[in-house]
Amino acid sequence: MDLAFLQPLYERPGPWASVYMDTSRHTESTAHERHLTAQSLAGELARQGADEATCQAVRSALEELRHSSEPHGRALFARGGEVVLDPPLAERPAGGSSACWAPLPRTTPLLELAGEDPVCVVAYLDREGADFELRGALGSSDAGTVTGRQWPLHRTASADWSERHFQLKVENTWEHNAAEVAEALAACQEETGADLVILVGEERERHSVHGRLPQQVRDRTVEAPHGAGSRLLDEDVERIRADHVRHRAEEDLERFLAARSPDAQGRPLAVEGVPAVIEAAREHRIDELLVLPDGADAHREVWVGEDADQVAVRRTELKTLGEQRSWAARADDALVRAAVATGAPAISVAPAQPSTRTEAPVGGLGALLRWK
């Protein structure tokens, strides 16, 4: 997961207001309920010590969501009377709306709520062509249409030579259209950067298009078992998206486990646990950060300085490094900041991994390392 979009949060000093707003509930009284929620969250920030200007900025931003149709929610990060970042969420906050005032922005929940949102191109196929739809957690949009040859498209039951000749033309038309659809679909996937391609249609049409896709697109293509008119299609799409997220999390974790052995020079390729990951962060050696959101060390208190790589297990360590000002912060938020500042992606590992959970990073925090 590329966390470059969080960079603005680490270009300014704290403290920060971090708010997660649940917008999944839609009723006749939604606007009034969200108005009350906005007041409550702003009040909670004030009780935690936030300045009035920042509380007002958060309250105003949340009030603007009173009539929003967003299906899941919104995160807001504010300081100094300004909302700096307000990304939409791909899932509703499990614990409902919340607000936090702390030295660092509370970004770790975004790894689950906003990061794992695989975008997919759904291709509705028929023998004449296809319609493409781009789908994500926040909705869907039209992604184009491709139309192949219109005639001939239907078989006959006759065994006459002329009819067999006609059937051959039908076969040629189908194959020609499948090739055109595959070419257009590959271009659509490349242009949109979609993580997945889902084929919807009759079995023969799905197979014909699937087999003509370039290998790099074919590897991320799945055929939906139900057609466009089925009420189960939406469930198919969500299941396929969820499977994709789970498989990627498993691959990330397996790659980390394999990297725990040292390289030919005896250097570790991966470390785990707060002290080891902090040392890697200070030396700018984190290539990928792994966070298990419910890990025991995620909320462990560490110490941070003004710069992102100034992080330590004990406050005295920062003083030894020459840092005069320091603040207590959560380990996961401190390490996400360090990873973003040094150009490393942060990867959220889903908490439910039955086959590998016993080998998760110690305390729920680990890192793949880079060496010059």
Side-chain angles (χ1 to χ4, degrees):
M1 173 187 175
D2 184 4
L3 292 183
F5 75 98
L6 292 179
Q7 190 67 44
L9 303 183
Y10 305 121
E11 294 173 346
R12 314 182 192 196
W16 285 86
S18 304
V19 177
Y20 289 86
M21 175 75 162
D22 184 352
T23 61
S24 62
R25 178 180 170 83
H26 300 277
T27 67
E28 292 182 357
S29 59
T30 291
H32 179 64
E33 291 175 356
R34 291 181 182 174
H35 167 71
L36 295 178
T37 300
Q39 290 185 322
S40 174
L41 292 174
E44 178 60 29
L45 290 173
R47 284 189 290 275
Q48 294 181 30
D51 59 277
E52 176 56 32
T54 299
C55 292
Q56 179 58 46
V58 168
R59 182 164 50 243
S60 297
L62 293 178
E63 288 283 1
E64 293 179 3
L65 297 176
R66 283 186 302 165
H67 302 288
S68 171
S69 60
E70 291 184 5
H72 305 294
R74 182 76 68 91
L76 283 83
F77 301 95
R79 63 164 299 283
E82 176 189 5
V83 174
V84 177
L85 195 67
D86 60 341
L89 303 180
E91 296 182 25
R92 64 177 295 271
S97 300
S98 64
C100 174
W101 179 251
L104 296 182
R106 181 81 183 95
T107 54
T108 307
L110 280 176
L111 299 178
E112 289 188 294
L113 300 179
E116 297 300 327
D117 176 21
V119 176
C120 57
V121 175
V122 181
Y124 299 94
L125 311 175
D126 58 35
R127 295 173 185 176
E128 297 181 8
D131 294 318
F132 301 153
E133 178 186 58
L134 200 63
R135 284 206 194 190
L138 301 180
S140 61
S141 60
D142 178 36
T145 298
V146 58
T147 303
R149 293 176 182 171
Q150 302 298 303
W151 183 91
L153 286 170
H154 303 287
R155 292 174 176 272
T156 69
S158 172
D160 182 82
W161 180 89
S162 62
E163 296 298 344
R164 290 199 302 271
H165 182 65
F166 178 83
Q167 290 178 15
L168 181 59
K169 288 185 177 180
V170 170
E171 294 285 348
N172 291 340
T173 301
W174 285 355
E175 301 305 318
H176 174 272
N177 289 355
E180 285 200 356
V181 169
E183 181 179 356
L185 186 53
C188 181
Q189 185 278 324
E190 181 178 5
E191 181 179 344
T192 60
D195 303 280
L196 287 164
V197 173
I198 301 177
L199 303 180
V200 180
E202 295 184 4
E203 184 176 6
R204 172 170 179 154
E205 294 154 4
R206 299 197 312 264
H207 291 352
S208 294
V209 172
H210 200 163
R212 287 170 171 76
L213 291 170
Q215 189 62 50
Q216 67 270 22
V217 181
R218 194 184 313 161
D219 290 343
R220 63 180 69 201
T221 299
V222 180
E223 298 182 24
H226 298 97
S230 172
R231 59 183 178 82
L232 298 177
L233 177 60
D234 287 342
E235 295 180 12
D236 290 341
V237 172
E238 290 310 306
R239 174 184 52 78
I240 292 169
R241 294 176 73 249
D243 287 346
H244 177 77
V245 171
R246 184 174 62 257
H247 292 157
R248 285 194 44 181
E250 290 173 351
E251 290 173 358
D252 291 336
L253 186 52
E254 288 171 2
R255 191 154 46 88
F256 169 78
L257 296 176
R260 290 190 299 184
S261 301
D263 64 8
Q265 286 75 42
R267 301 176 301 188
L269 298 177
V271 293
E272 53 193 322
V274 169
V277 179
I278 281 180
E279 181 180 359
R282 284 206 300 258
E283 297 177 359
H284 294 200
R285 287 192 285 111
I286 294 180
D287 189 46
E288 295 182 1
L289 176 68
L290 277 75
V291 179
L292 198 66
D294 64 347
D297 285 345
H299 54 79
R300 176 175 171 177
E301 183 179 88
V302 299
W303 292 89
V304 298
E306 293 182 349
D307 294 332
D309 58 358
Q310 294 172 338
V311 53
V313 175
R314 289 176 291 275
R315 193 173 195 175
T316 52
E317 292 180 50
L318 287 182
K319 291 184 177 180
T320 301
L321 295 171
E323 179 59 37
Q324 299 304 313
R325 302 183 64 193
S326 58
W327 301 269
R330 286 177 56 117
D332 52 359
D333 290 331
L335 290 170
V336 168
R337 180 180 75 150
V340 172
T342 57
I347 301 171
S348 173
V349 181
Q353 301 288 347
S355 61
T356 55
R357 185 163 174 78
T358 55
E359 296 184 271
V362 171
L365 293 170
L368 293 166
L369 304 182
R370 58 188 176 206
W371 295 93
K372 294 183 179 179

